[in-house]
Structure formats: structure tokens, C-alpha cells
Amino acid sequence: MVATRRKLNLRAESGPGDPVGVGDEDADDATELLDMEDGYVTVYLRTRFTVVDAAAVTSLFLNVNYDDGFVAYINGSEVARANVPVGQTNTTPTTTTHEAGTFETFDLSAFRNRLVSGVNFLAVEGHNASLTNSDFSLHPELVIASGSGGGSG
């Protein structure tokens, strides 16, 4: 049995050192949201990925570099949350500020049963601290480890 590990960025064509994710005002994002300040506090991202054999997945981690908060879902089930109150809407600001700069790791291994063999979806909603907050970043990365070649994407 060969152990494999793969990373899924929301911008799969990026190379080492290339900006990924979305954001406003910090010049490290692949997609700049120049209309976010005074316009909206929430951004929705979604990507699909393939898991060859869901039963073979041994661990699942979400690395996120974010400013100010997020809620993540796999196949429609919530799997991680930071600084966003339960019951959020598209106008809900975060409960506190959080500066981006380093990835934080969230162990999602307890949610491996949400994966299916075949096409899966990672959705992440990012929330800013306020409508007038001048910066926002959301760079999620899903890391899947498998005992027998768990995925491609």
C-alpha cells in the first residue's frame, strides 16, 4: 500500500510562490476584490475535486490563511469555522478580527465520511470584520492523505 498526500488549492493552476485565493488590499491574492470595502462582507468560493477511493483516505486537513473569518463545507456539510457566528448570512461580519499571514491547520479527519469516491466539493465562505474593513484574505488549501492513491484534481 502506497501512502499519498495531495494538496488542493482553490486556484489549482498556481505554481510555487504564486498568489492564490481571494482578497482585498494586501497584494498577495490571485483575485483582488477591489469592490469589497463598503460593498459586501461575505465571499463564497467553491471547487470540485476527485477522490479515487474515499474509503482509503486516512487523513484530511484544511489549511487556511484568512482575514477575518470563514466557514468551510465538504459536500454541503460544515467541517470548519473560525470567527463567524452560527446562523450567519451574507451580511454577517466576523465576531473578531484576525490578520492573515500564516496558514492555520484544521484537522478534518473526523469528516472523512463526508467524502465520496468520485467528485466532491469544497466550499468556503469568507467573512470580513465589517463592511468598512479595508482588508480581507481567504486562501484555503485541502490536504488529503490516502493509503492507496486517494485522489486527483
Side-chain angles (χ1 to χ4, degrees):
M1 186 177 282
V2 176
T4 61
R5 178 181 158 122
R6 68 182 271 257
K7 293 181 180 181
L8 171 72
N9 285 308
L10 280 172
R11 185 169 176 258
E13 65 272 22
S14 65
D18 287 349
V20 296
V22 299
D24 181 31
E25 294 294 325
D26 54 10
D28 64 347
D29 305 299
T31 302
E32 291 286 331
L33 304 173
L34 301 178
D35 60 344
M36 187 169 191
E37 186 176 357
D38 295 320
Y40 48 94
V41 296
T42 306
V43 174
Y44 299 90
L45 308 175
R46 186 176 82 156
T47 191
R48 75 179 78 213
F49 60 98
T50 301
V51 175
V52 175
D53 181 2
V57 174
T58 57
S59 64
L60 186 62
F61 294 92
L62 180 66
N63 300 323
V64 188
N65 187 359
Y66 64 97
D67 178 338
D68 288 296
F70 73 91
V71 183
Y73 305 85
I74 291 180
N75 294 331
S77 295
E78 183 179 324
V79 295
R81 172 182 295 264
N83 300 335
V84 179
V86 173
Q88 76 276 5
T89 69
N90 66 331
T91 61
T92 303
T94 58
T95 55
T96 187
T97 60
H98 179 276
E99 288 302 315
T102 60
F103 281 89
E104 290 184 32
T105 299
F106 297 81
D107 185 350
L108 306 184
S109 296
F111 299 102
R112 292 179 312 208
N113 63 344
R114 302 295 195 269
L115 297 172
V116 298
S117 297
V119 176
N120 293 267
F121 291 91
L122 171 65
V124 183
E125 61 182 80
H127 291 255
N128 210 350
S130 73
L131 193 60
T132 59
N133 191 315
S134 64
D135 67 338
F136 171 81
S137 286
L138 185 58
H139 302 186
E141 174 185 81
L142 189 63
V143 180
I144 303 168
S146 170
S148 64
S152 64

